[in-house]
Amino acid sequence: MALQPSLQNALVIAGKYDAPHTLEIFLDYVCPFSAKISLAIDSVLRPLFAPGGKYDGKVKLIFRNQVQPWHGSSTFVHEAGIAVARIAPEDFWKFSLALFKRQGEYFDIPTSTLTPVQIRENLAKLVAETIGADKAAQFGDLLSLKSTPNGGVAVTDDLKYTIKYSRQNGIHVSPTVLWDGLIANEISSSWGEKEWTDFLEKKVTV
């Protein structure tokens, strides 16, 4: 498991960073199946890996940003997630859940007539609604274009890291799940408590 320091505090969304087992889930904010599995993450997995949970100290859960370029807004929504990870790591999952619930606003047709600036402005409003207006101002600063014509924004390097990580590991679609570094093809976005409980009982060995 690898995770660069600037993202460690946010993208480990459940469990302790030094837990021996690692569950990585590659998610796209504008993927309906990612939104579906996010509900299981929140209601099933996070409680199991939290302090006092059955697998406390045994498993950590990492959110992996999976940009899918066939959706034009995917880059912008993942910029937003990474920006929140930078300014308010403790609120990253809260914001991510809110974005999954509102993902329809960022689908292809609703965003087809919007400029990148307008999409980022809408995301800043969601940040204000979700984690506070004070954070929205910092968020806006991180997503302001740099002075060079093709320099991106302040989180572009972190975005590049997440994309390179996916590419080198052959991750093509979301959600894709890795258990201890290997793709677990049997996992489905439709899994509920029983399927996840059965999987973890078989896989956790510590």
Side-chain angles (χ1 to χ4, degrees):
M1 186 280 299
L3 195 59
Q4 67 180 28
S6 64
L7 300 174
Q8 284 179 4
N9 291 335
L11 300 193
V12 178
I13 59 172
K16 296 180 175 67
Y17 183 78
D18 60 354
H21 287 297
T22 303
L23 185 68
E24 301 173 72
I25 305 185
F26 291 76
L27 301 163
D28 181 11
Y29 288 119
V30 288
C31 166
F33 299 103
S34 291
K36 188 174 183 180
I37 203 172
S38 74
L39 300 176
I41 291 171
D42 196 55
S43 64
V44 179
L45 297 177
R46 279 170 52 84
L48 286 172
F49 304 158
K54 182 175 181 178
Y55 297 108
D56 176 19
K58 298 181 178 181
V59 184
K60 60 182 168 293
L61 171 57
I62 299 177
F63 182 112
R64 293 289 187 185
N65 296 81
Q66 176 69 5
V67 177
Q68 298 189 122
W70 47 88
H71 297 305
S73 66
S74 187
T75 293
F76 302 119
V77 292
H78 284 286
E79 281 181 347
I82 291 170
V84 171
R86 291 271 293 273
I87 63 173
E90 69 282 2
D91 291 321
F92 170 76
W93 180 242
K94 180 181 180 181
F95 173 76
S96 293
L97 275 181
L99 185 48
F100 278 125
K101 291 175 182 176
R102 299 269 291 273
Q103 67 174 193
E105 299 173 25
Y106 300 93
F107 283 174
D108 298 344
I109 291 178
T111 58
S112 63
T113 59
L114 301 179
T115 67
V117 170
Q118 289 173 318
I119 295 172
R120 290 178 174 129
E121 287 174 348
N122 289 341
L123 288 162
K125 292 176 184 176
L126 182 59
V127 169
E129 294 171 15
T130 307
I131 63 174
D134 58 325
K135 300 297 184 183
Q138 298 176 52
F139 174 88
D141 290 341
L142 287 181
L143 295 190
S144 296
L145 292 169
K146 296 179 181 179
S147 58
T148 53
N150 207 28
V153 297
V155 299
T156 296
D157 285 344
D158 283 341
L159 184 70
K160 288 180 180 179
Y161 167 81
T162 66
I163 293 171
K164 290 175 181 178
Y165 187 86
S166 294
R167 288 178 176 175
Q168 78 168 13
N169 287 290
I171 308 300
H172 301 292
V173 296
S174 68
T176 295
V177 182
L178 273 62
W179 176 261
D180 288 344
L182 298 179
I183 294 176
N185 284 316
E186 69 269 33
I187 294 175
S188 167
S189 61
S190 64
W191 275 19
E193 183 175 4
K194 182 184 186 304
E195 292 85 0
W196 276 112
T197 299
D198 290 346
F199 175 84
L200 292 167
E201 285 180 353
K202 294 175 183 175
K203 294 292 187 179
V204 176
T205 60
V206 294

